[in-house]
Amino acid sequence: MRPKIVLFGDSITEESFGDGGWGASLAHHFARTVDVVLRGYSGYNTRWALHVAERVFPAATEAEGGGGREAPLAVAVFFGANDASLSDRSSAFQHVPLEEYKQNLHSIVSFIKKRWPTTFVLLITPPPIDEDGRLKHPYGDNPSGLPERTNEAAGAYAKACVEVAGECGLPVIDLWSRMQQLPGWEKACLRDGLHLTPVGNKIVFEEVVESLRQGGLNLESLPVDLPLLVDIDPHVPLKSFQH
Amino acid sequence: MRPKIVLFGDSITEESFGDGGWGASLAHHFARTVDVVLRGYSGYNTRWALHVAERVFPAATEAEGGGGREAPLAVAVFFGANDASLSDRSSAFQHVPLEEYKQNLHSIVSFIKKRWPTTFVLLITPPPIDEDGRLKHPYGDNPSGLPERTNEAAGAYAKACVEVAGECGLPVIDLWSRMQQLPGWEKACLRDGLHLTPVGNKIVFEEVVESLRQGGLNLESLPVDLPLLVDIDPHVPLKSFQH
């Protein structure tokens, strides 16, 4: 069986197989070595994600011998953009308090690690927020004239995510900080103040590839499932498939 | 477990998760309902594909209860572009005679149907060939000045693929004919005379979605794994996850 990398996150994950999306780019990158499995749930925060974790990562049935299904090679956990919605604005129902966010992330990591101790778990912080973009592209009615997310709040959740990674000894991509290194990041990286442009997608893709590489997971170390064309002897092609 | 659609084909499949690729578009389309599994093998013809079918679609191990692994919802079988390489030109080692191509397709279909009788199997013919494009973008040395593939040969293999589908009672996408309906298809659909442009990818994506729809597989009929944001009660969100 080909190994799997699972992308577990919110809408930034769910839409990651759109044109130029970071998920599709990962699947393309690992086309002959790994299945990239999409588990993106638009609008979800860590409270909801934790609530459904058992269904997102189902245990094997009795008929399958019990225990967990085959361990994924890696799981990327990418939540926080919805948790960081302000508690008194138009997306308040998605808000999760900062301390609970940290605890939920811990619990999600523990759940995955308990089921599959060897799986490489990678955390990704929420991206920065372009408040101007959020006001120009509101979700539904927002008569307040105030953005439902702020960059400051997203930054606090990003910092908390980095702390959880440190406490768990896990790698983390601090997307909030990384994107803000780019001049004009507000429009360059973010389409509507929150979701990713092609440039933003490219940053996530490259950061995930680099993080996986540091964890020993890369095209050089992962076996190809079947012979590459360049390795097939044109004089006796079928011989290449004997191993 | 979320159902799967497997894309089994050659380089046109292997690269289908690149920017705007038809595989990525399918994964995006079915983001909350189906896993789109990439099994594309650059350069492979039906002879090689048949040879590795057992490894591409592995049977379950004893520990998993024997029998086949969970049946995919659908498998798209998309070979022929390499089989149709001319037998006396620069890609001759990939050539498969027309009658053997038909027999191999039959055998691949039988293999899948024997393992998973209920799986929706869909055939896709090779695309047309832009011979000018092939001469401008040769693979390696081609001092002959003659294209290694011709549109006429591709057409014969496409016709054979349509015949096999008829003989097996399977749906088929006649890509060779479909693309040539588009004025300027040579450059509009094909990047290098063989592989797809964004326009070509869009045609494949739309045709596959339509074929699946005719087989009863569409967003209306397939269950969503977990509640969509629009179905979550903002006043008692967790209640939505109780089912």
Side-chain angles (χ1 to χ4, degrees), chain A residues 86-117:
Chain A
L86 301 192
S87 62
D88 57 354
R89 295 199 185 164
S90 59
S91 289
F93 77 106
Q94 292 166 286
H95 170 76
V96 169
L98 190 60
E99 277 309 308
E100 184 191 338
Y101 169 70
K102 284 190 73 172
Q103 189 50 53
N104 289 341
L105 269 187
H106 267 289
S107 299
I108 291 168
V109 168
S110 296
F111 173 85
I112 298 168
K113 279 294 196 181
K114 186 175 175 195
R115 181 151 291 176
W116 299 302

PDB file of all heavy atoms in Angstrom, chain A residues 86-117:
ATOM      1  N   LEU A  86     -13.334  36.773  16.279  1.00  0.00           N
ATOM      2  CA  LEU A  86     -13.573  37.492  17.539  1.00  0.00           C
ATOM      3  C   LEU A  86     -14.922  37.090  18.150  1.00  0.00           C
ATOM      4  O   LEU A  86     -15.891  36.833  17.431  1.00  0.00           O
ATOM      5  CB  LEU A  86     -13.514  38.997  17.312  1.00  0.00           C
ATOM      6  CG  LEU A  86     -12.180  39.526  16.756  1.00  0.00           C
ATOM      7  CD1 LEU A  86     -12.142  41.051  16.848  1.00  0.00           C
ATOM      8  CD2 LEU A  86     -10.982  38.926  17.482  1.00  0.00           C
ATOM      9  N   SER A  87     -14.955  37.046  19.456  1.00  0.00           N
ATOM     10  CA  SER A  87     -16.127  36.512  20.165  1.00  0.00           C
ATOM     11  C   SER A  87     -17.312  37.467  20.166  1.00  0.00           C
ATOM     12  O   SER A  87     -18.408  37.089  20.570  1.00  0.00           O
ATOM     13  CB  SER A  87     -15.754  36.159  21.610  1.00  0.00           C
ATOM     14  OG  SER A  87     -15.343  37.337  22.287  1.00  0.00           O
ATOM     15  N   ASP A  88     -17.086  38.697  19.730  1.00  0.00           N
ATOM     16  CA  ASP A  88     -18.201  39.658  19.751  1.00  0.00           C
ATOM     17  C   ASP A  88     -18.482  40.214  18.353  1.00  0.00           C
ATOM     18  O   ASP A  88     -19.030  41.300  18.227  1.00  0.00           O
ATOM     19  CB  ASP A  88     -17.882  40.804  20.715  1.00  0.00           C
ATOM     20  CG  ASP A  88     -16.582  41.507  20.355  1.00  0.00           C
ATOM     21  OD1 ASP A  88     -15.866  41.037  19.424  1.00  0.00           O
ATOM     22  OD2 ASP A  88     -16.254  42.522  20.999  1.00  0.00           O
ATOM     23  N   ARG A  89     -18.084  39.455  17.346  1.00  0.00           N
ATOM     24  CA  ARG A  89     -18.346  39.952  15.989  1.00  0.00           C
ATOM     25  C   ARG A  89     -19.095  38.900  15.179  1.00  0.00           C
ATOM     26  O   ARG A  89     -19.578  37.909  15.733  1.00  0.00           O
ATOM     27  CB  ARG A  89     -17.040  40.403  15.332  1.00  0.00           C
ATOM     28  CG  ARG A  89     -16.460  41.613  16.087  1.00  0.00           C
ATOM     29  CD  ARG A  89     -15.460  42.416  15.315  1.00  0.00           C
ATOM     30  NE  ARG A  89     -14.893  43.473  16.180  1.00  0.00           N
ATOM     31  CZ  ARG A  89     -13.792  44.134  15.909  1.00  0.00           C
ATOM     32  NH1 ARG A  89     -13.108  43.864  14.798  1.00  0.00           N
ATOM     33  NH2 ARG A  89     -13.346  45.077  16.730  1.00  0.00           N
ATOM     34  N   SER A  90     -19.162  39.096  13.852  1.00  0.00           N
ATOM     35  CA  SER A  90     -20.133  38.357  13.052  1.00  0.00           C
ATOM     36  C   SER A  90     -19.858  36.860  12.919  1.00  0.00           C
ATOM     37  O   SER A  90     -20.755  36.115  12.542  1.00  0.00           O
ATOM     38  CB  SER A  90     -20.245  38.998  11.666  1.00  0.00           C
ATOM     39  OG  SER A  90     -18.983  38.993  11.024  1.00  0.00           O
ATOM     40  N   SER A  91     -18.639  36.415  13.207  1.00  0.00           N
ATOM     41  CA  SER A  91     -18.364  34.972  13.159  1.00  0.00           C
ATOM     42  C   SER A  91     -18.152  34.396  14.550  1.00  0.00           C
ATOM     43  O   SER A  91     -17.430  33.418  14.736  1.00  0.00           O
ATOM     44  CB  SER A  91     -17.139  34.689  12.280  1.00  0.00           C
ATOM     45  OG  SER A  91     -17.442  34.922  10.924  1.00  0.00           O
ATOM     46  N   ALA A  92     -18.819  35.011  15.535  1.00  0.00           N
ATOM     47  CA  ALA A  92     -18.601  34.628  16.942  1.00  0.00           C
ATOM     48  C   ALA A  92     -18.855  33.152  17.197  1.00  0.00           C
ATOM     49  O   ALA A  92     -18.212  32.543  18.063  1.00  0.00           O
ATOM     50  CB  ALA A  92     -19.494  35.479  17.847  1.00  0.00           C
ATOM     51  N   PHE A  93     -19.788  32.558  16.444  1.00  0.00           N
ATOM     52  CA  PHE A  93     -20.119  31.148  16.726  1.00  0.00           C
ATOM     53  C   PHE A  93     -18.968  30.205  16.415  1.00  0.00           C
ATOM     54  O   PHE A  93     -18.963  29.058  16.847  1.00  0.00           O
ATOM     55  CB  PHE A  93     -21.395  30.727  15.992  1.00  0.00           C
ATOM     56  CG  PHE A  93     -21.235  30.452  14.525  1.00  0.00           C
ATOM     57  CD1 PHE A  93     -21.248  29.143  14.044  1.00  0.00           C
ATOM     58  CD2 PHE A  93     -21.083  31.482  13.617  1.00  0.00           C
ATOM     59  CE1 PHE A  93     -21.101  28.876  12.687  1.00  0.00           C
ATOM     60  CE2 PHE A  93     -20.940  31.228  12.263  1.00  0.00           C
ATOM     61  CZ  PHE A  93     -20.949  29.922  11.797  1.00  0.00           C
ATOM     62  N   GLN A  94     -17.972  30.690  15.667  1.00  0.00           N
ATOM     63  CA  GLN A  94     -16.795  29.860  15.383  1.00  0.00           C
ATOM     64  C   GLN A  94     -15.658  30.093  16.375  1.00  0.00           C
ATOM     65  O   GLN A  94     -14.684  29.344  16.389  1.00  0.00           O
ATOM     66  CB  GLN A  94     -16.309  30.143  13.951  1.00  0.00           C
ATOM     67  CG  GLN A  94     -17.272  29.673  12.874  1.00  0.00           C
ATOM     68  CD  GLN A  94     -16.941  30.260  11.515  1.00  0.00           C
ATOM     69  OE1 GLN A  94     -17.191  31.439  11.267  1.00  0.00           O
ATOM     70  NE2 GLN A  94     -16.384  29.454  10.635  1.00  0.00           N
ATOM     71  N   HIS A  95     -15.799  31.133  17.174  1.00  0.00           N
ATOM     72  CA  HIS A  95     -14.741  31.484  18.129  1.00  0.00           C
ATOM     73  C   HIS A  95     -14.516  30.388  19.162  1.00  0.00           C
ATOM     74  O   HIS A  95     -15.450  29.779  19.660  1.00  0.00           O
ATOM     75  CB  HIS A  95     -15.132  32.789  18.844  1.00  0.00           C
ATOM     76  CG  HIS A  95     -14.257  33.118  20.007  1.00  0.00           C
ATOM     77  ND1 HIS A  95     -12.987  33.626  19.859  1.00  0.00           N
ATOM     78  CD2 HIS A  95     -14.453  32.993  21.352  1.00  0.00           C
ATOM     79  CE1 HIS A  95     -12.448  33.815  21.055  1.00  0.00           C
ATOM     80  NE2 HIS A  95     -13.322  33.436  21.979  1.00  0.00           N
ATOM     81  N   VAL A  96     -13.234  30.169  19.459  1.00  0.00           N
ATOM     82  CA  VAL A  96     -12.835  29.284  20.559  1.00  0.00           C
ATOM     83  C   VAL A  96     -11.821  30.067  21.402  1.00  0.00           C
ATOM     84  O   VAL A  96     -10.868  30.633  20.843  1.00  0.00           O
ATOM     85  CB  VAL A  96     -12.188  27.982  20.024  1.00  0.00           C
ATOM     86  CG1 VAL A  96     -11.538  27.186  21.153  1.00  0.00           C
ATOM     87  CG2 VAL A  96     -13.219  27.131  19.300  1.00  0.00           C
ATOM     88  N   PRO A  97     -12.018  30.136  22.725  1.00  0.00           N
ATOM     89  CA  PRO A  97     -11.058  30.893  23.549  1.00  0.00           C
ATOM     90  C   PRO A  97      -9.637  30.355  23.388  1.00  0.00           C
ATOM     91  O   PRO A  97      -9.438  29.154  23.148  1.00  0.00           O
ATOM     92  CB  PRO A  97     -11.574  30.681  24.981  1.00  0.00           C
ATOM     93  CG  PRO A  97     -13.025  30.351  24.811  1.00  0.00           C
ATOM     94  CD  PRO A  97     -13.130  29.598  23.513  1.00  0.00           C
ATOM     95  N   LEU A  98      -8.692  31.244  23.553  1.00  0.00           N
ATOM     96  CA  LEU A  98      -7.292  30.911  23.283  1.00  0.00           C
ATOM     97  C   LEU A  98      -6.814  29.696  24.088  1.00  0.00           C
ATOM     98  O   LEU A  98      -6.150  28.801  23.538  1.00  0.00           O
ATOM     99  CB  LEU A  98      -6.425  32.138  23.594  1.00  0.00           C
ATOM    100  CG  LEU A  98      -4.965  32.082  23.163  1.00  0.00           C
ATOM    101  CD1 LEU A  98      -4.829  31.904  21.651  1.00  0.00           C
ATOM    102  CD2 LEU A  98      -4.238  33.366  23.576  1.00  0.00           C
ATOM    103  N   GLU A  99      -7.143  29.654  25.357  1.00  0.00           N
ATOM    104  CA  GLU A  99      -6.669  28.537  26.190  1.00  0.00           C
ATOM    105  C   GLU A  99      -7.296  27.210  25.750  1.00  0.00           C
ATOM    106  O   GLU A  99      -6.640  26.170  25.747  1.00  0.00           O
ATOM    107  CB  GLU A  99      -6.957  28.795  27.677  1.00  0.00           C
ATOM    108  CG  GLU A  99      -5.903  29.654  28.350  1.00  0.00           C
ATOM    109  CD  GLU A  99      -4.473  29.142  28.109  1.00  0.00           C
ATOM    110  OE1 GLU A  99      -4.209  27.955  28.356  1.00  0.00           O
ATOM    111  OE2 GLU A  99      -3.627  29.936  27.648  1.00  0.00           O
ATOM    112  N   GLU A 100      -8.583  27.274  25.369  1.00  0.00           N
ATOM    113  CA  GLU A 100      -9.230  26.049  24.883  1.00  0.00           C
ATOM    114  C   GLU A 100      -8.612  25.629  23.558  1.00  0.00           C
ATOM    115  O   GLU A 100      -8.436  24.435  23.295  1.00  0.00           O
ATOM    116  CB  GLU A 100     -10.744  26.240  24.729  1.00  0.00           C
ATOM    117  CG  GLU A 100     -11.412  24.930  24.309  1.00  0.00           C
ATOM    118  CD  GLU A 100     -12.874  25.081  23.881  1.00  0.00           C
ATOM    119  OE1 GLU A 100     -13.535  26.060  24.263  1.00  0.00           O
ATOM    120  OE2 GLU A 100     -13.333  24.201  23.112  1.00  0.00           O
ATOM    121  N   TYR A 101      -8.289  26.604  22.700  1.00  0.00           N
ATOM    122  CA  TYR A 101      -7.622  26.285  21.420  1.00  0.00           C
ATOM    123  C   TYR A 101      -6.347  25.483  21.678  1.00  0.00           C
ATOM    124  O   TYR A 101      -6.114  24.443  21.041  1.00  0.00           O
ATOM    125  CB  TYR A 101      -7.322  27.588  20.669  1.00  0.00           C
ATOM    126  CG  TYR A 101      -6.403  27.435  19.467  1.00  0.00           C
ATOM    127  CD1 TYR A 101      -6.843  26.792  18.306  1.00  0.00           C
ATOM    128  CD2 TYR A 101      -5.105  27.943  19.482  1.00  0.00           C
ATOM    129  CE1 TYR A 101      -6.001  26.659  17.198  1.00  0.00           C
ATOM    130  CE2 TYR A 101      -4.265  27.817  18.392  1.00  0.00           C
ATOM    131  CZ  TYR A 101      -4.718  27.175  17.245  1.00  0.00           C
ATOM    132  OH  TYR A 101      -3.882  27.048  16.161  1.00  0.00           O
ATOM    133  N   LYS A 102      -5.560  25.957  22.624  1.00  0.00           N
ATOM    134  CA  LYS A 102      -4.314  25.237  22.936  1.00  0.00           C
ATOM    135  C   LYS A 102      -4.617  23.822  23.417  1.00  0.00           C
ATOM    136  O   LYS A 102      -3.983  22.849  22.991  1.00  0.00           O
ATOM    137  CB  LYS A 102      -3.526  25.982  24.042  1.00  0.00           C
ATOM    138  CG  LYS A 102      -2.804  27.220  23.562  1.00  0.00           C
ATOM    139  CD  LYS A 102      -1.861  27.780  24.623  1.00  0.00           C
ATOM    140  CE  LYS A 102      -0.619  26.906  24.802  1.00  0.00           C
ATOM    141  NZ  LYS A 102       0.379  27.557  25.691  1.00  0.00           N
ATOM    142  N   GLN A 103      -5.582  23.726  24.314  1.00  0.00           N
ATOM    143  CA  GLN A 103      -5.927  22.417  24.860  1.00  0.00           C
ATOM    144  C   GLN A 103      -6.461  21.493  23.770  1.00  0.00           C
ATOM    145  O   GLN A 103      -6.132  20.299  23.713  1.00  0.00           O
ATOM    146  CB  GLN A 103      -6.956  22.587  25.984  1.00  0.00           C
ATOM    147  CG  GLN A 103      -7.218  21.309  26.752  1.00  0.00           C
ATOM    148  CD  GLN A 103      -5.932  20.634  27.214  1.00  0.00           C
ATOM    149  OE1 GLN A 103      -5.094  21.260  27.862  1.00  0.00           O
ATOM    150  NE2 GLN A 103      -5.741  19.360  26.859  1.00  0.00           N
ATOM    151  N   ASN A 104      -7.290  22.045  22.888  1.00  0.00           N
ATOM    152  CA  ASN A 104      -7.842  21.232  21.790  1.00  0.00           C
ATOM    153  C   ASN A 104      -6.741  20.730  20.858  1.00  0.00           C
ATOM    154  O   ASN A 104      -6.757  19.579  20.420  1.00  0.00           O
ATOM    155  CB  ASN A 104      -8.855  22.052  20.979  1.00  0.00           C
ATOM    156  CG  ASN A 104     -10.142  22.319  21.732  1.00  0.00           C
ATOM    157  OD1 ASN A 104     -10.451  21.628  22.714  1.00  0.00           O
ATOM    158  ND2 ASN A 104     -10.887  23.329  21.301  1.00  0.00           N
ATOM    159  N   LEU A 105      -5.794  21.620  20.554  1.00  0.00           N
ATOM    160  CA  LEU A 105      -4.673  21.197  19.691  1.00  0.00           C
ATOM    161  C   LEU A 105      -3.907  20.061  20.356  1.00  0.00           C
ATOM    162  O   LEU A 105      -3.570  19.060  19.713  1.00  0.00           O
ATOM    163  CB  LEU A 105      -3.721  22.369  19.431  1.00  0.00           C
ATOM    164  CG  LEU A 105      -3.952  23.253  18.208  1.00  0.00           C
ATOM    165  CD1 LEU A 105      -2.772  24.225  18.067  1.00  0.00           C
ATOM    166  CD2 LEU A 105      -4.119  22.432  16.930  1.00  0.00           C
ATOM    167  N   HIS A 106      -3.639  20.216  21.652  1.00  0.00           N
ATOM    168  CA  HIS A 106      -2.980  19.140  22.413  1.00  0.00           C
ATOM    169  C   HIS A 106      -3.774  17.839  22.278  1.00  0.00           C
ATOM    170  O   HIS A 106      -3.199  16.766  22.056  1.00  0.00           O
ATOM    171  CB  HIS A 106      -2.873  19.515  23.896  1.00  0.00           C
ATOM    172  CG  HIS A 106      -1.582  20.170  24.263  1.00  0.00           C
ATOM    173  ND1 HIS A 106      -0.389  19.489  24.306  1.00  0.00           N
ATOM    174  CD2 HIS A 106      -1.298  21.446  24.615  1.00  0.00           C
ATOM    175  CE1 HIS A 106       0.581  20.322  24.672  1.00  0.00           C
ATOM    176  NE2 HIS A 106       0.054  21.525  24.860  1.00  0.00           N
ATOM    177  N   SER A 107      -5.076  17.940  22.436  1.00  0.00           N
ATOM    178  CA  SER A 107      -5.919  16.731  22.408  1.00  0.00           C
ATOM    179  C   SER A 107      -5.926  16.098  21.019  1.00  0.00           C
ATOM    180  O   SER A 107      -5.931  14.870  20.894  1.00  0.00           O
ATOM    181  CB  SER A 107      -7.349  17.076  22.841  1.00  0.00           C
ATOM    182  OG  SER A 107      -7.353  17.583  24.152  1.00  0.00           O
ATOM    183  N   ILE A 108      -5.953  16.917  19.973  1.00  0.00           N
ATOM    184  CA  ILE A 108      -5.931  16.385  18.602  1.00  0.00           C
ATOM    185  C   ILE A 108      -4.608  15.660  18.357  1.00  0.00           C
ATOM    186  O   ILE A 108      -4.568  14.552  17.820  1.00  0.00           O
ATOM    187  CB  ILE A 108      -6.151  17.521  17.574  1.00  0.00           C
ATOM    188  CG1 ILE A 108      -7.595  18.037  17.667  1.00  0.00           C
ATOM    189  CG2 ILE A 108      -5.834  17.051  16.156  1.00  0.00           C
ATOM    190  CD1 ILE A 108      -7.854  19.344  16.901  1.00  0.00           C
ATOM    191  N   VAL A 109      -3.521  16.289  18.784  1.00  0.00           N
ATOM    192  CA  VAL A 109      -2.206  15.659  18.615  1.00  0.00           C
ATOM    193  C   VAL A 109      -2.156  14.339  19.398  1.00  0.00           C
ATOM    194  O   VAL A 109      -1.700  13.310  18.871  1.00  0.00           O
ATOM    195  CB  VAL A 109      -1.086  16.614  19.098  1.00  0.00           C
ATOM    196  CG1 VAL A 109       0.242  15.874  19.199  1.00  0.00           C
ATOM    197  CG2 VAL A 109      -0.971  17.820  18.164  1.00  0.00           C
ATOM    198  N   SER A 110      -2.656  14.358  20.635  1.00  0.00           N
ATOM    199  CA  SER A 110      -2.627  13.143  21.463  1.00  0.00           C
ATOM    200  C   SER A 110      -3.443  12.031  20.810  1.00  0.00           C
ATOM    201  O   SER A 110      -3.037  10.865  20.812  1.00  0.00           O
ATOM    202  CB  SER A 110      -3.207  13.418  22.853  1.00  0.00           C
ATOM    203  OG  SER A 110      -2.409  14.339  23.521  1.00  0.00           O
ATOM    204  N   PHE A 111      -4.587  12.408  20.272  1.00  0.00           N
ATOM    205  CA  PHE A 111      -5.448  11.426  19.603  1.00  0.00           C
ATOM    206  C   PHE A 111      -4.692  10.746  18.463  1.00  0.00           C
ATOM    207  O   PHE A 111      -4.683   9.516  18.336  1.00  0.00           O
ATOM    208  CB  PHE A 111      -6.703  12.122  19.064  1.00  0.00           C
ATOM    209  CG  PHE A 111      -7.567  11.244  18.226  1.00  0.00           C
ATOM    210  CD1 PHE A 111      -8.518  10.420  18.797  1.00  0.00           C
ATOM    211  CD2 PHE A 111      -7.416  11.214  16.844  1.00  0.00           C
ATOM    212  CE1 PHE A 111      -9.308   9.585  18.020  1.00  0.00           C
ATOM    213  CE2 PHE A 111      -8.198  10.388  16.056  1.00  0.00           C
ATOM    214  CZ  PHE A 111      -9.141   9.569  16.648  1.00  0.00           C
ATOM    215  N   ILE A 112      -4.052  11.543  17.624  1.00  0.00           N
ATOM    216  CA  ILE A 112      -3.334  10.989  16.465  1.00  0.00           C
ATOM    217  C   ILE A 112      -2.146  10.151  16.929  1.00  0.00           C
ATOM    218  O   ILE A 112      -1.915   9.041  16.452  1.00  0.00           O
ATOM    219  CB  ILE A 112      -2.875  12.120  15.521  1.00  0.00           C
ATOM    220  CG1 ILE A 112      -4.082  12.889  14.975  1.00  0.00           C
ATOM    221  CG2 ILE A 112      -2.026  11.560  14.372  1.00  0.00           C
ATOM    222  CD1 ILE A 112      -3.737  14.197  14.276  1.00  0.00           C
ATOM    223  N   LYS A 113      -1.410  10.684  17.905  1.00  0.00           N
ATOM    224  CA  LYS A 113      -0.196  10.004  18.361  1.00  0.00           C
ATOM    225  C   LYS A 113      -0.515   8.716  19.113  1.00  0.00           C
ATOM    226  O   LYS A 113       0.264   7.755  19.082  1.00  0.00           O
ATOM    227  CB  LYS A 113       0.620  10.943  19.253  1.00  0.00           C
ATOM    228  CG  LYS A 113       1.470  11.933  18.466  1.00  0.00           C
ATOM    229  CD  LYS A 113       2.549  11.172  17.693  1.00  0.00           C
ATOM    230  CE  LYS A 113       3.663  12.058  17.185  1.00  0.00           C
ATOM    231  NZ  LYS A 113       4.659  11.264  16.428  1.00  0.00           N
ATOM    232  N   LYS A 114      -1.659   8.692  19.789  1.00  0.00           N
ATOM    233  CA  LYS A 114      -2.043   7.469  20.514  1.00  0.00           C
ATOM    234  C   LYS A 114      -2.397   6.380  19.498  1.00  0.00           C
ATOM    235  O   LYS A 114      -2.042   5.209  19.672  1.00  0.00           O
ATOM    236  CB  LYS A 114      -3.236   7.762  21.422  1.00  0.00           C
ATOM    237  CG  LYS A 114      -3.593   6.579  22.297  1.00  0.00           C
ATOM    238  CD  LYS A 114      -4.700   6.936  23.288  1.00  0.00           C
ATOM    239  CE  LYS A 114      -5.115   5.668  24.052  1.00  0.00           C
ATOM    240  NZ  LYS A 114      -6.394   5.876  24.751  1.00  0.00           N
ATOM    241  N   ARG A 115      -3.099   6.795  18.445  1.00  0.00           N
ATOM    242  CA  ARG A 115      -3.494   5.818  17.428  1.00  0.00           C
ATOM    243  C   ARG A 115      -2.293   5.359  16.608  1.00  0.00           C
ATOM    244  O   ARG A 115      -2.157   4.186  16.289  1.00  0.00           O
ATOM    245  CB  ARG A 115      -4.578   6.448  16.543  1.00  0.00           C
ATOM    246  CG  ARG A 115      -5.099   5.525  15.470  1.00  0.00           C
ATOM    247  CD  ARG A 115      -6.540   5.825  15.093  1.00  0.00           C
ATOM    248  NE  ARG A 115      -7.467   5.485  16.172  1.00  0.00           N
ATOM    249  CZ  ARG A 115      -8.771   5.724  16.139  1.00  0.00           C
ATOM    250  NH1 ARG A 115      -9.311   6.322  15.100  1.00  0.00           N
ATOM    251  NH2 ARG A 115      -9.539   5.383  17.143  1.00  0.00           N
ATOM    252  N   TRP A 116      -1.448   6.308  16.249  1.00  0.00           N
ATOM    253  CA  TRP A 116      -0.316   6.001  15.362  1.00  0.00           C
ATOM    254  C   TRP A 116       0.947   6.670  15.903  1.00  0.00           C
ATOM    255  O   TRP A 116       1.332   7.773  15.456  1.00  0.00           O
ATOM    256  CB  TRP A 116      -0.608   6.537  13.953  1.00  0.00           C
ATOM    257  CG  TRP A 116      -1.813   5.935  13.300  1.00  0.00           C
ATOM    258  CD1 TRP A 116      -2.033   4.613  13.043  1.00  0.00           C
ATOM    259  CD2 TRP A 116      -2.967   6.631  12.793  1.00  0.00           C
ATOM    260  NE1 TRP A 116      -3.258   4.460  12.415  1.00  0.00           N
ATOM    261  CE2 TRP A 116      -3.835   5.666  12.243  1.00  0.00           C
ATOM    262  CE3 TRP A 116      -3.331   7.973  12.742  1.00  0.00           C
ATOM    263  CZ2 TRP A 116      -5.063   6.004  11.668  1.00  0.00           C
ATOM    264  CZ3 TRP A 116      -4.538   8.324  12.170  1.00  0.00           C
ATOM    265  CH2 TRP A 116      -5.394   7.337  11.644  1.00  0.00           C
ATOM    266  N   PRO A 117       1.637   6.026  16.825  1.00  0.00           N
ATOM    267  CA  PRO A 117       2.788   6.663  17.496  1.00  0.00           C
ATOM    268  C   PRO A 117       3.897   7.095  16.541  1.00  0.00           C
ATOM    269  O   PRO A 117       4.640   8.027  16.833  1.00  0.00           O
ATOM    270  CB  PRO A 117       3.283   5.560  18.453  1.00  0.00           C
ATOM    271  CG  PRO A 117       2.093   4.675  18.669  1.00  0.00           C
ATOM    272  CD  PRO A 117       1.331   4.692  17.390  1.00  0.00           C
TER     273      PRO A 117
END
